[in-house]
């Protein structure tokens, strides 16, 4: 798979923090073959399933992508938002 300009990847771990049981979201935005932005953050809500944790990660990646898309539009560039996620549950929700 060759990432298209502005491609976003997301993933999460379910209940990764042993103390709070919160999941962690992470992702990267690829532009021109290189990583433009990456992130990793604890989710604000405790997910009750791995699919729910992946959905929160997917939403975070989409939001980050829309921010980059708006910045690109300000510079006169047109970027498509495309998010890759490995969870069929998150896609279904």
């Amino acid at each position: 798979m060759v990432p298209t300009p502005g491609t976003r990847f997301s993933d999460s771990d379910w209940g990764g923090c042993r103390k709070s049981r919160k999941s962690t979201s992470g992702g990267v935005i690829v532009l021109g073959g290189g990583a433009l932005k990456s992130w990793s953050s604890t989710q604000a809500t405790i997910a009750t399933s791995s699919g729910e944790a992946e959905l929160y990660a997917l939403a975070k990646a989409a939001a980050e992508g829309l921010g980059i898309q708006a910045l690109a539009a300000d510079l006169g560039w047109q970027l498509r938002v495309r998010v890759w996620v490995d969870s069929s549950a998150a896609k279904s929700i």
Side-chain angles (χ1 to χ4, degrees), residues 15-37:
C17 179
R18 292 177 190 237
K19 188 174 184 179
S20 68
R21 301 307 302 152
K22 291 184 179 178
S23 304
T24 302
S25 296
V28 64
I29 297 176
V30 177
L31 184 64
L36 178 64
K37 180 177 181 173

Side-chain angles (χ1 to χ4, degrees), residues 1 16 19 23 39 52 55 61-62 68 73 79 86:
M1 191 264 323
K19 188 174 184 179
S23 304
W39 66 90
E52 186 180 357
L55 176 64
I68 295 295
L79 291 179
D86 61 352

Side-chain angles (χ1 to χ4, degrees), residues 16-93:
C17 179
R18 292 177 190 237
K19 188 174 184 179
S20 68
R21 301 307 302 152
K22 291 184 179 178
S23 304
T24 302
S25 296
V28 64
I29 297 176
V30 177
L31 184 64
L36 178 64
K37 180 177 181 173
S38 64
W39 66 90
S40 177
S41 60
T42 302
Q43 295 177 355
T45 312
I46 298 173
T48 58
S49 69
S50 60
E52 186 180 357
E54 290 280 356
L55 176 64
Y56 294 148
L58 174 62
K60 172 75 172 171
E64 292 285 345
L66 290 174
I68 295 295
Q69 185 182 42
L71 175 65
D74 289 344
L75 297 172
W77 303 343
Q78 184 178 359
L79 291 179
R80 287 182 30 197
V81 174
R82 186 171 193 175
V83 180
W84 292 89
V85 63
D86 61 352
S87 170
S88 58
K91 291 177 194 177
S92 298
I93 295 171

